[in-house]
């Protein structure tokens, strides 16, 4: 569903005014600007209350559920970050929250979910298995609403507010990004980006970033047909949807038809970790490898050439989506495992 006729100032306005998500800073990156020989800006959605961009869509969805349906109970499936957003936003609206996460979810995330008051169930080897249980529980509970981590129009519209803010925050009159880079898991964020770009009539290049072992979008986009992965084989477990939503592929094609460019960037786990380490050194901010995948196309010498190839004039924006599955100990462990091999 298109929202091209919707005024940017009214998109998710009630959830924003209620403080369920915030306008995040857009800051210049001196290091990436040097590497790319053009201005690079970082959209710091890692500063949302739950630790990731997920607050945007989750705020819009939960607030709409409450006002239109009177929802009091939410059941979410999540690789971690969507559940954290649900557990952050839901209680502010007086909602009870249950989250089903797969066995691959990091203990640090499970502990954060519990600290937010969510009822947490660990089930299945991947998100898809956890999602099956979540849907079953919703069917058995007439008072509960199912909350997808990425596959809902309300989520996409909430996420589209990223573009509204970027357009307002970029320096210069009428300055729009030549490129936006964002990580893709199930496709919720990139659906929102395409929606926001359409609303503003912007045909920027969009780089969909994933790790090779979780590249459900990239492999589908490159092949021209939807591909379901057999398994998630990546450190970036929060990108762990076996298949991307059809809408992400549809909107990517529509963006191209309107003159935009879409590129799939697939990095190795080591490149994602290296991006996390370099970003921490440059900005003193920790992000998990799922977010490192969006930074890797610029930090990696191998990927940067492809990302910049054929790019027109203008700045680059990296959506620093965040993620709570990281601390200093984990980053040191990943650095040792992936970057300090003999």
């Amino acid at each position: 569903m298109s929202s091209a006729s919707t005024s940017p100032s009214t998109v998710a306005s009630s959830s924003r005014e209620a403080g369920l998500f915030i306008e995040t800073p857009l800051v210049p990156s001196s290091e990436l600007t040097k590497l790319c020989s053009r201005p690079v800006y970082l959209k710091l959605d890692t500063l949302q209350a739950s630790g990731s961009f997920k607050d945007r869509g989750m705020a819009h969805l939960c607030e709409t559920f409450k006002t239109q349906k009177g929802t009091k109970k939410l059941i979410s499936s999540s690789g971690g970050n969507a559940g954290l957003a649900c557990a952050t936003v839901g209680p502010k609206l007086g909602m009870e929250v249950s989250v089903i996460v797969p066995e691959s979810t990091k203990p640090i995330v499970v502990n954060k979910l519990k600290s937010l008051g969510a009822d947490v169930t660990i089930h299945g080897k991947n998100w898809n298995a956890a999602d099956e249980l979540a849907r079953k529980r919703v069917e058995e509970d007439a008072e509960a609403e199912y909350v997808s981590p990425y596959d809902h129009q309300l989520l996409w519209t909430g996420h589209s507010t990223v573009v509204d803010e970027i357009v307002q925050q970029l320096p210069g009159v009428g300055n729009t990004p030549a490129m936006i880079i964002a990580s893709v898991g199930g496709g919720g964020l990139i659906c929102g980006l395409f929606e926001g770009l359409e609303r503003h009539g912007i045909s920027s290049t969009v780089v969909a970033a994933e790790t090779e072992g979780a590249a459900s979008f990239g492999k589908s986009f490159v092949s021209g047909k939807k591909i379901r992965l057999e398994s998630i084989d990546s450190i970036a477990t929060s990108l762990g949807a076996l298949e991307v939503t059809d809408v992400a592929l549809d909107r990517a094609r529509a963006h191209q038809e309107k003159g935009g460019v879409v590129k799939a960037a697939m990095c190795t786990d080591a490149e994602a970790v290296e991006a996390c380490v370099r970003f921490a050194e440059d900005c003193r901010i920790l992000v998990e490898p799922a977010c490192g995948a969006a930074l890797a196309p610029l930090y990696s010498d191998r990927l940067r050439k492809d990302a910049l190839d054929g790019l027109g004039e203008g700045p680059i924006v990296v959506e620093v989506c965040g993620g709570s599955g990281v601390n200093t100990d984990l980053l040191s462990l990943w650095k040792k495992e992936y970057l300090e091999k003999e």
Side-chain angles (χ1 to χ4, degrees):
M1 181 176 69
S2 170
S3 63
S5 62
T6 304
S7 169
S9 63
T10 65
V11 174
S13 58
S14 57
S15 55
R16 184 191 295 274
E17 290 168 3
L20 300 179
F21 73 96
I22 63 170
E23 177 177 321
T24 55
L26 182 75
V27 300
S29 168
S30 59
E31 293 302 320
L32 290 177
T33 293
K34 291 176 185 176
L35 289 174
C36 297
S37 299
R38 68 167 67 211
V40 177
Y41 293 88
L42 305 168
K43 183 59 172 162
L44 296 179
D45 264 351
T46 190
L47 299 181
Q48 295 288 352
S50 76
S52 85
F53 78 96
K54 296 278 190 180
D55 288 21
R56 295 179 181 273
M58 199 62 69
H60 185 49
L61 180 142
C62 292
E63 196 269 342
T64 302
F65 278 4
K66 180 178 176 64
T67 57
Q68 294 187 2
K69 299 182 178 182
T71 303
K72 296 181 179 180
K73 185 175 183 180
L74 305 170
I75 298 179
S76 170
S77 61
S78 173
N81 291 315
L84 285 166
C86 189
T88 298
V89 171
K92 294 178 182 178
L93 294 167
M95 295 173 165
E96 179 184 338
V97 176
S98 296
V99 183
I100 293 86
V101 298
E103 296 166 3
S104 59
T105 304
K106 298 179 181 68
I108 186 176
V109 173
V110 173
N111 291 336
K112 286 183 179 181
L113 284 167
K114 291 179 178 179
S115 74
L116 291 168
D119 177 66
V120 182
T121 300
I122 301 173
H123 174 80
K125 293 183 178 180
N126 53 45
W127 167 79
N128 296 77
D131 188 59
E132 289 179 7
L133 179 59
R135 291 174 184 271
K136 180 180 178 182
R137 288 188 176 179
V138 170
E139 290 177 358
E140 297 170 348
D141 189 339
E143 295 183 351
E145 284 285 347
Y146 167 73
V147 177
S148 169
Y150 64 83
D151 200 4
H152 197 290
Q153 177 60 51
L154 291 171
L155 294 175
W156 306 330
T157 297
H159 297 332
S160 75
T161 58
V162 170
V163 179
D164 299 336
E165 293 176 15
I166 290 171
V167 170
Q168 293 177 341
Q169 293 171 324
L170 273 177
V173 178
N175 203 356
T176 58
M179 174 188 288
I180 298 178
I181 307 175
S183 297
V184 181
L189 174 57
I190 202 167
C191 281
L193 292 178
F194 285 132
E195 184 171 317
L197 290 170
E198 180 186 7
R199 184 161 61 243
H200 289 274
I202 297 172
S203 55
S204 300
T205 293
V206 176
V207 176
E210 300 164 288
T211 55
E212 293 173 348
S216 58
F217 177 89
K219 292 178 180 178
S220 297
F221 182 74
V222 171
S223 70
K225 60 181 180 180
K226 187 173 180 179
I227 292 177
R228 180 182 174 89
L229 304 179
E230 293 184 3
S231 63
I232 301 300
D233 183 21
S234 174
I235 188 176
T237 54
S238 56
L239 297 182
L242 294 177
E243 58 185 5
V244 70
T245 177
D246 291 331
V247 178
L249 297 169
D250 292 342
R251 291 188 177 185
R253 286 189 287 268
H255 186 70
Q256 290 178 308
E257 291 170 359
K258 294 175 182 177
V261 175
V262 180
K263 295 184 177 182
M266 292 172 270
C267 68
T268 65
D269 282 356
E271 287 169 330
V273 170
E274 181 182 16
C276 292
V277 171
R278 294 178 68 176
F279 182 70
E281 293 171 346
D282 293 342
C283 300
R284 300 163 303 283
I285 297 174
L286 299 182
V287 295
E288 61 181 47
C291 180
L295 294 160
L298 300 186
Y299 274 119
S300 165
D301 293 338
R302 179 181 74 89
L303 297 171
R304 191 184 317 114
K305 181 178 179 180
D306 288 339
L308 299 179
D309 184 43
L311 186 64
E313 295 295 320
I316 296 170
V317 174
V318 181
E319 162 65 1
V320 184
C321 57
S324 293
V326 61
N327 57 26
T328 54
D329 290 339
L330 283 170
L331 187 61
S332 295
L333 179 65
W334 298 332
K335 182 179 179 181
K336 183 175 181 180
E337 181 177 355
Y338 288 94
L339 305 182
E340 297 176 359
K341 295 180 179 178
E342 296 183 359

